[in-house]
Amino acid sequence: MIVFGVIGISATAAQIYAPQVDTFDTSTRSAFINSMHRCIDNIYHKQPESRHFPRELIIAQAILESGYGKSRLAKEANNLFGIRTWDKNTPHVKPITHHNEWHGWAVKAYTYKCDSVKDVVRILNDLHFYEELRKHRDSGASGSVLAYHLDSFSTNPNYAELLIKIIDSEL
């Protein structure tokens, strides 16, 4: 019986930290947010805490960028953040405005939506554009404060305010 108990605990732990990549639910707003939490749990379980960002910031970005996973790029490319690629050989989807031609960049395509969540965490942790964001994260700033340090992520001058509105109303 002890063996069964250990197996039961291991199976439960495996379910918690197993990738939820093929079960991402965009049917409702709450289902989308729950799917985001599962992705982030999986990603953060495998990374040191020093690489974690407040989950409300990541979820708010996904909501804003993908319309709760309903955007064309979320559906066709599993890209919840509009992450671009400048490598023609990387799987990608071209914006409608490109008329199916390569214009030096495209939107990166992922196998699963959780892959785009993992990539945005990597981007925020590793690219020099987000040094200030990381400094503020490391000093314990909230997701709402960190939103003001994502100006390189979007060309929209109101990006931070839009994220904060989502954080305050949805999360």
Side-chain angles (χ1 to χ4, degrees), residues 54-157:
R55 63 182 56 232
E56 68 269 15
L57 180 68
I58 303 297
I59 295 170
Q61 283 189 276
I63 289 169
L64 181 60
E65 296 287 343
S66 74
Y68 293 88
K70 306 279 187 200
S71 72
R72 178 180 77 90
L73 298 174
K75 291 177 182 178
E76 292 179 19
N78 288 316
N79 189 328
L80 299 174
F81 302 92
I83 297 169
R84 296 181 181 188
T85 181
W86 288 264
D87 181 354
K88 197 176 190 177
N89 297 316
T90 296
H92 62 271
V93 172
K94 295 177 185 97
I96 292 173
T97 57
H98 284 195
H99 306 292
N100 210 26
E101 296 175 15
W102 181 258
H103 287 264
W105 68 273
V107 177
K108 195 170 180 180
Y110 298 91
T111 304
Y112 304 108
K113 287 177 179 61
C114 287
D115 293 339
S116 73
V117 179
K118 183 177 180 181
D119 203 20
V120 82
V121 171
R122 178 197 61 81
I123 288 165
L124 297 178
N125 271 299
D126 297 342
L127 295 186
H128 73 279
F129 302 109
Y130 304 108
E131 286 179 28
E132 280 298 310
L133 174 76
R134 292 188 296 271
K135 285 180 190 175
H136 288 277
R137 179 228 15 225
D138 295 347
S139 69
S142 68
S144 294
V145 170
L146 293 176
Y148 287 105
H149 300 282
L150 284 171
D151 46 341
S152 296
F153 201 88
S154 174
T155 58
N156 185 334

